[in-house]
Amino acid sequence: MTTAPSTTTDGVEARKPRRRPAGRRQPLRARDTRAALLFISPWIIGFLVFTAWPIIDSLYLSFTDYDVLTDANFVGVDNYVQLFNDPKVASSLTNTLIFALIKVPVIMVVALALALLLNQASQRTAGFFRTVFFIPNMTPTVAVGVLFLLLFNGNQGLINSVLGVFGIQGPAWTTDPGWVKVGLVLISLLTVGGSIIILLAAIRNVPIELYESARIDGANFWQQTIKITIPMISPNLFFVFIVDSIAALQTFTEAYTAFSNTDTSGGFSNSGALFYAIYLFQQAFSFLHMGYASAMAWILFLIVMVITAVQFIVSRRFIYYEGDQS
């Protein structure tokens, strides 16, 4: 950028910046754009090939009768009509929604409680327990499913053995449809570490002056938590709520590992744990009903989109964003 001389009030010559013509900035901007596209081109290609194209293709397959072994046969909306008349679709979707309604609040309450406790601990202690809580997230979900059988076995499981010491008759976690979802929710608490870290980071970003003012006014810990902490970290709570809700609606691995039969019949040993994603998997890979499974996948996608949209609409009344004056 060049400058032009000018004279100040005291006679001293000054130089004012001269703007570069707009035409000269265009080649530089275009060159930067090309460089940026070049750097992100591997991701763009991967997204188009491995994500966008399979999504579009699955939409087409949802209108076909396709079993992988023969060519797809276009059948229109027959798969969707059959889907709404399939009682297992209704039962598996009901199982999934009940599981989500139990799991998401429990996960959020436990994550918030542990994050509040870690915030009161010393830096070294908090760092140690952050690691302890997060390590189970690195455990393969298949191993979590096997662990569920070891802990919640009605006859020899560790949970019922401990309850028996206190004279309590433990429930049939793995066979009673009414208890299997509760057991799966409890085992899912092993992977609550990610939510804890997110909420702990949010709590530590709350201005300390707010707590000092509240203490001067006589507010105790619970009053500070309800009136200051929760409103200030509400965007993070909402993020955890959205992520956990989507994950609960797509629950698959733990229940499938614990209850699926090892034969090729596509059987499932507990109807209470037959979640929507599991039934979708059975239709696709046990029965080779790829068109029907694609229709099920798109219905699940629409359900998740609707639930998420409702959550965003409702959240406008409860979420506080710093600097938001509305």
Side-chain angles (χ1 to χ4, degrees):
M1 180 179 296
T2 59
T3 56
S6 62
T7 304
T8 60
T9 54
D10 56 359
V12 179
E13 190 177 79
R15 301 183 70 84
K16 294 190 298 184
R18 180 182 298 168
R19 290 191 175 184
R20 187 186 301 274
R24 296 183 181 179
R25 294 199 299 268
Q26 294 303 320
L28 180 60
R29 182 176 300 173
R31 188 166 62 249
D32 290 343
T33 301
R34 287 194 298 270
L37 291 174
L38 179 63
F39 277 110
I40 66 174
S41 59
W43 179 88
I44 294 176
I45 295 172
F47 173 79
L48 293 175
V49 173
F50 298 108
T51 302
W53 171 248
I55 290 175
I56 296 171
D57 192 49
S58 71
L59 180 60
Y60 166 73
L61 290 178
S62 69
F63 296 100
T64 66
D65 180 13
Y66 180 53
D67 62 1
V68 180
L69 303 177
T70 58
D71 293 336
N73 179 32
F74 187 79
V75 295
V77 297
D78 288 357
N79 286 328
Y80 291 93
V81 174
Q82 180 184 352
L83 188 151
F84 285 105
N85 293 321
D86 188 345
K88 278 196 172 183
V89 169
S91 62
S92 63
L93 185 58
T94 301
N95 287 335
T96 303
L97 293 176
I98 293 174
F99 176 77
L101 289 174
I102 299 173
K103 176 182 177 179
V104 176
V106 171
I107 289 289
M108 293 198 64
V109 169
V110 172
L112 179 59
L114 292 176
L116 290 170
L117 287 174
L118 288 180
N119 188 52
Q120 302 298 316
S122 65
Q123 189 69 24
R124 179 177 297 180
T125 302
F128 171 76
F129 281 102
R130 279 203 310 266
T131 304
V132 170
F133 290 142
F134 190 76
I135 284 178
N137 287 71
M138 310 302 293
T139 305
T141 49
V142 172
V144 175
V146 175
L147 183 62
F148 171 81
L149 293 178
L150 296 175
L151 292 177
F152 291 92
N153 185 284
N155 298 322
Q156 302 174 347
L158 178 62
I159 300 298
N160 281 3
S161 298
V162 173
L163 293 176
V165 174
F166 298 96
I168 301 174
Q169 179 66 37
W173 301 95
T174 57
T175 57
D176 188 343
W179 281 100
V180 64
K181 299 181 186 66
V182 177
L184 288 170
V185 168
L186 294 177
I187 200 70
S188 68
L189 293 177
L190 289 174
T191 58
V192 75
S195 300
I196 294 174
I197 291 176
I198 292 173
L199 297 181
L200 178 60
I203 292 172
R204 291 190 169 176
N205 280 330
V206 177
I208 192 66
E209 294 83 4
L210 298 178
Y211 295 112
E212 293 174 348
S213 299
R215 282 193 291 269
I216 292 174
D217 291 337
N220 57 33
F221 172 78
W222 294 112
Q223 291 172 327
Q224 294 176 39
T225 300
I226 295 173
K227 299 295 184 179
I228 298 176
T229 305
I230 292 179
M232 292 298 293
I233 68 170
S234 55
N236 305 83
L237 287 169
F238 180 59
F239 172 78
V240 171
F241 181 61
I242 290 290
V243 172
D244 286 342
S245 298
I246 295 175
L249 293 172
Q250 297 177 342
T251 295
F252 172 79
T253 308
E254 297 90 338
Y256 185 80
T257 302
F259 298 107
S260 64
N261 293 338
T262 55
D263 57 23
T264 58
S265 64
F268 206 72
S269 61
N270 194 308
S271 59
L274 181 61
F275 297 128
Y276 191 88
I278 294 175
Y279 188 52
L280 189 158
F281 178 86
Q282 289 179 334
Q283 289 294 329
F285 298 103
S286 296
F287 310 132
L288 296 183
H289 298 161
M290 289 292 178
Y292 189 67
S294 297
M296 289 186 63
W298 275 93
I299 292 298
L300 179 60
F301 171 75
L302 292 176
I303 291 173
V304 171
M305 289 293 293
V306 170
I307 292 176
T308 304
V310 171
Q311 290 171 335
F312 269 98
I313 293 172
V314 174
S315 70
R316 295 174 183 174
R317 300 181 56 186
F318 303 101
I319 307 302
Y320 167 78
Y321 293 98
E322 191 172 357
D324 187 2
Q325 301 300 323
S326 59

